[in-house]
Amino acid sequence: METVLPYLAISMGFMSSFHCIGMCGPIALAIPVRSGSVSGRYFNYVLYNLGRTSTYTLLGLIAGSMAATISLVGYLKYFSVAAGIILIIYAVGPAAWNRYYQPPALWRNMIRKVKTAMSSVLLSHHTGARYLLGMLNGLLPCGMVTMALVSSMATGKAWSGGVFMFLFGLGTLPAMLGISMFKEKISPEIRSRLFQMTPVIMLMIGLWLVIRGFMLDFPAGSSAIPVCTGN
């Protein structure tokens, strides 16, 4: 079961990246690039996307750490099943989910501050600003990233959650780099067809999490404690 996880994470990132193009593509295209060389422009785009992936990885580590606590008290199997059901619901009706889910006021205030910081960074021509812009962009609310974080929590470990989100970020790179480098060759029709496959990947991951939850062998309330006995 665990060997499937990297493929699901990368596939989830790749499919969701076509949603990212619509949401984050304008930001990527707005990146000021002073270098006139092709390699210089590509380097800046790569920095920006690596910044996004770094934030995803950090969030995955945090989510995985929280899940590790759940695992210690014996509720990981139930969390895995619940996370899978959430992903299945999102795959079947993402529009309804986005319509009824409203982030808390504290989160909305944080997002406003992130957008303000991004506006300032966009004005900078320093090379490192591209990486920082990507990191800040990774903090913007996104249903697909939220679902990926839910999936990463179901791994039950900090490092596993970080690896899941790192692979998710890598999965978004081809499309996000493509829209920056070859935007004239990626038609809206191609993006639309690929984006239509996203619910299928989400459904697969949701089913995997549900099955994984039922296969875990440490139910809540287990009191098995190793005891050392002398001869």
Side-chain angles (χ1 to χ4, degrees), residues 59-83:
L59 292 175
L61 288 170
I62 295 172
S65 298
M66 296 169 60
T69 302
I70 298 175
S71 177
L72 285 175
V73 297
Y75 284 95
L76 182 61
K77 66 181 303 178
Y78 303 112
F79 181 85
S80 182
V81 172

Side-chain angles (χ1 to χ4, degrees), residues 25-102:
I27 299 175
L29 296 177
I31 296 175
V33 180
R34 304 186 73 178
S35 174
S37 66
V38 174
S39 59
R41 292 197 300 271
Y42 289 178
F43 178 71
N44 281 278
Y45 294 140
V46 168
L47 275 181
Y48 164 76
N49 284 285
L50 287 179
R52 284 191 313 106
T53 302
S54 297
T55 296
Y56 294 157
T57 303
L58 178 60
L59 292 175
L61 288 170
I62 295 172
S65 298
M66 296 169 60
T69 302
I70 298 175
S71 177
L72 285 175
V73 297
Y75 284 95
L76 182 61
K77 66 181 303 178
Y78 303 112
F79 181 85
S80 182
V81 172
I85 293 174
I86 290 174
L87 260 70
I88 292 171
I89 293 174
Y90 189 84
V92 173
W97 178 280
N98 292 329
R99 187 185 309 119
Y100 292 109
Y101 173 73
Q102 294 295 328

Side-chain angles (χ1 to χ4, degrees), residues 14-206:
F14 179 73
M15 292 303 172
S16 66
S17 63
F18 295 94
H19 169 78
C20 295
I21 287 176
M23 299 298 293
C24 307
I27 299 175
L29 296 177
I31 296 175
V33 180
R34 304 186 73 178
S35 174
S37 66
V38 174
S39 59
R41 292 197 300 271
Y42 289 178
F43 178 71
N44 281 278
Y45 294 140
V46 168
L47 275 181
Y48 164 76
N49 284 285
L50 287 179
R52 284 191 313 106
T53 302
S54 297
T55 296
Y56 294 157
T57 303
L58 178 60
L59 292 175
L61 288 170
I62 295 172
S65 298
M66 296 169 60
T69 302
I70 298 175
S71 177
L72 285 175
V73 297
Y75 284 95
L76 182 61
K77 66 181 303 178
Y78 303 112
F79 181 85
S80 182
V81 172
I85 293 174
I86 290 174
L87 260 70
I88 292 171
I89 293 174
Y90 189 84
V92 173
W97 178 280
N98 292 329
R99 187 185 309 119
Y100 292 109
Y101 173 73
Q102 294 295 328
L106 177 61
W107 179 251
R108 293 197 297 270
N109 291 333
M110 290 176 60
I111 295 306
R112 280 196 290 270
K113 292 180 180 179
V114 169
K115 289 182 177 180
T116 301
M118 290 179 68
S119 299
S120 300
V121 173
L122 270 172
L123 299 177
S124 173
H125 293 285
H126 192 276
T127 301
R130 315 297 181 262
Y131 183 81
L132 179 58
L133 180 65
M135 291 193 69
L136 290 170
N137 184 56
L139 295 173
L140 292 179
C142 173
M144 301 300 296
V145 175
T146 301
M147 292 300 104
L149 282 171
V150 170
S151 303
S152 71
M153 288 186 70
T155 63
K157 297 178 182 178
W159 69 270
S160 295
V163 169
F164 185 96
M165 291 305 296
F166 173 73
L167 294 175
F168 172 83
L170 288 185
T172 67
L173 291 183
M176 291 302 295
L177 287 174
I179 192 63
S180 301
M181 301 175 182
F182 313 106
K183 53 183 179 293
E184 70 281 353
K185 297 182 180 180
I186 305 177
S187 68
E189 182 180 0
I190 294 176
R191 296 200 299 265
S192 177
R193 287 181 179 179
L194 289 171
F195 182 64
Q196 289 173 1
M197 297 177 63
T198 302
V200 178
I201 300 297
M202 299 289 286
L203 187 62
M204 289 174 58
I205 295 177

